[in-house]
Amino acid sequence: MIRLALIMHEPLASAFASCAEHVLGEKPDLFVFDIQADECTDTAVERLLGQLHTQAPDAVATLILCDLYGATPFNVARRVQQALQDQGQGAYLLTGTNMCMVLKALTERRDNPEQFAQDVMAGALRGIVHADCHC
C-alpha cells in the first residue's frame, strides 16, 4: 500500500481534501496535515510520524504532496520523508501541489511507488492549461 499525505500551510491541506471529497463524491483516502504558522518544526515532524505509523502501519511507501518548496511545510515534509527512508520505507515528496495532482494521486493505480510519483507529477502538468478565450 502506498499512502498519500498532504503537508501544507494551514488550511490548504484540509481545503484540498474537502475539494477532492466534493469532486469524487466520497471521503478521500489520504492523510491531511495542516501546518500552523507558529508550529514548531520538531513538534510537527514527531506528530506527523506518529500519525502515519498509527494510522497506516502496513504502508510500504508514502507519497507526500506539499504546497511550496522551501517553506515550513516543505521542511517538515522533507524531514518526515527522510525519517521514513531511514526506517526502510519508500518516501517521495512532490511540491507545487495543485488540485489536478491531488485528484490524480487519489485515482491513480498505486502499485509502483516511483512510477506513482511520476504519474502524479505528470497529472499536475497536464492540468495546467492556457485557456485562451476570445469571448
Side-chain angles (χ1 to χ4, degrees):
M1 176 177 99
I2 302 171
R3 63 184 157 207
L4 179 63
L6 304 180
I7 302 177
M8 301 176 177
H9 290 91
E10 183 185 39
L12 197 52
S14 293
F16 273 119
S18 292
C19 187
E21 183 173 359
H22 171 78
V23 170
L24 299 174
E26 62 186 28
K27 187 171 175 68
D29 181 21
L30 53 81
F31 294 89
V32 176
F33 302 107
D34 286 307
I35 304 296
Q36 299 174 0
D38 60 350
E39 189 162 9
C40 170
T41 302
D42 292 336
T43 302
V45 169
E46 293 304 316
R47 177 175 61 93
L48 301 182
L49 285 171
Q51 287 180 17
L52 288 171
H53 290 304
T54 300
Q55 296 175 11
D58 298 333
V60 296
T62 303
L63 175 61
I64 302 168
L65 302 181
C66 191
D67 51 356
L68 293 174
Y69 176 80
T72 300
F74 169 81
N75 293 326
V76 170
R78 181 67 186 104
R79 288 182 52 194
V80 168
Q81 177 191 27
Q82 187 62 55
L84 292 171
Q85 288 174 340
D86 290 347
Q87 296 166 6
Q89 295 183 34
Y92 303 84
L93 173 58
L94 299 175
T95 64
T97 300
N98 62 27
M99 196 62 217
C100 292
M101 214 169 160
V102 173
L103 292 172
K104 179 72 170 174
L106 290 169
T107 59
E108 183 71 20
R109 192 170 165 171
R110 301 180 187 184
D111 294 335
N112 178 312
E114 179 64 37
Q115 187 61 52
F116 179 54
Q118 292 297 322
D119 291 346
V120 170
M121 188 169 65
L125 295 174
R126 282 191 302 275
I128 299 171
V129 176
H130 180 246
D132 191 15
C133 179
H134 299 285
C135 302

